[in-house]
Amino acid sequence: MVWQVKNALVLVLLVILGLLPGGCAGNSGEVKAALGQQFSLSPGQSAVITGEELKIKFEGVLEDSRCPRNVVCIWEGRVRYVVQVTADGSLARVELTEPGLTDQPVQLTFGSYRLTFHIEPYPEEGKDIADEEYRLLSSVEKLR
């Protein structure tokens, strides 16, 4: 009886996690998001904005030379990454750069949309970030 209750709870938890936006989608899963909703993409993963002809793909990080937090550096460094944006039949592959030592997102206007991007995690001293650990936090607003 106890075994059945535990299995039922695990099954309910898995179903709930699967229903969360972008939850358990894995790298190949496509995330669905609404305008104004923040979503997270793994390298190689795409997002479709519900009700819009807009798709965003996080291709990956090209360079991450950001100065780790709590470390004194001569240069703040930067992170460079590539996103692919498809809107209203137009496609663009865009290389974006975020400076180190800041949490300022990057904004991009594409067609009638304003897209906001920010890379996580931020580097820490003595810890390497594997490619699959990066997440692109994004949101989309419609202009006009």
Side-chain angles (χ1 to χ4, degrees), residues 127-142:
K127 294 183 181 177
D128 291 332
I129 302 171
D131 290 344
E132 62 273 5
E133 292 179 292
Y134 284 104
R135 295 296 175 267
L136 179 65
L137 303 180
S138 305
S139 63
V140 178
E141 296 176 39
K142 192 156 189 171

Side-chain angles (χ1 to χ4, degrees), residues 65-131:
S65 61
R66 295 174 290 175
C67 179
R69 293 200 194 283
N70 303 317
V71 173
V72 177
C73 300
I74 295 172
W75 182 50
E76 66 194 17
R78 66 184 182 188
V79 61
R80 292 183 318 121
Y81 52 94
V82 177
V83 295
Q84 183 176 301
V85 181
T86 307
D88 303 321
S90 297
L91 174 105
R93 186 174 182 267
V94 183
E95 183 180 309
L96 300 168
T97 303
E98 287 182 39
L101 301 177
T102 181
D103 287 327
Q104 278 298 107
V106 174
Q107 290 192 338
L108 172 69
T109 301
F110 190 82
S112 59
Y113 301 98
R114 178 176 296 123
L115 301 100
T116 303
F117 302 107
H118 180 63
I119 287 285
E120 288 190 347
Y122 196 88
E124 294 180 28
E125 184 178 11
K127 294 183 181 177
D128 291 332
I129 302 171
D131 290 344

Side-chain angles (χ1 to χ4, degrees), residues 25-32 39-48 55-58 84:
N27 287 352
S28 61
E30 196 169 75
V31 172
K32 293 186 193 272
F39 55 93
S40 173
L41 298 175
S42 301
Q45 193 173 30
S46 297
V48 174
K55 184 174 183 176
I56 300 163
K57 180 178 182 182
F58 175 31
Q84 183 176 301

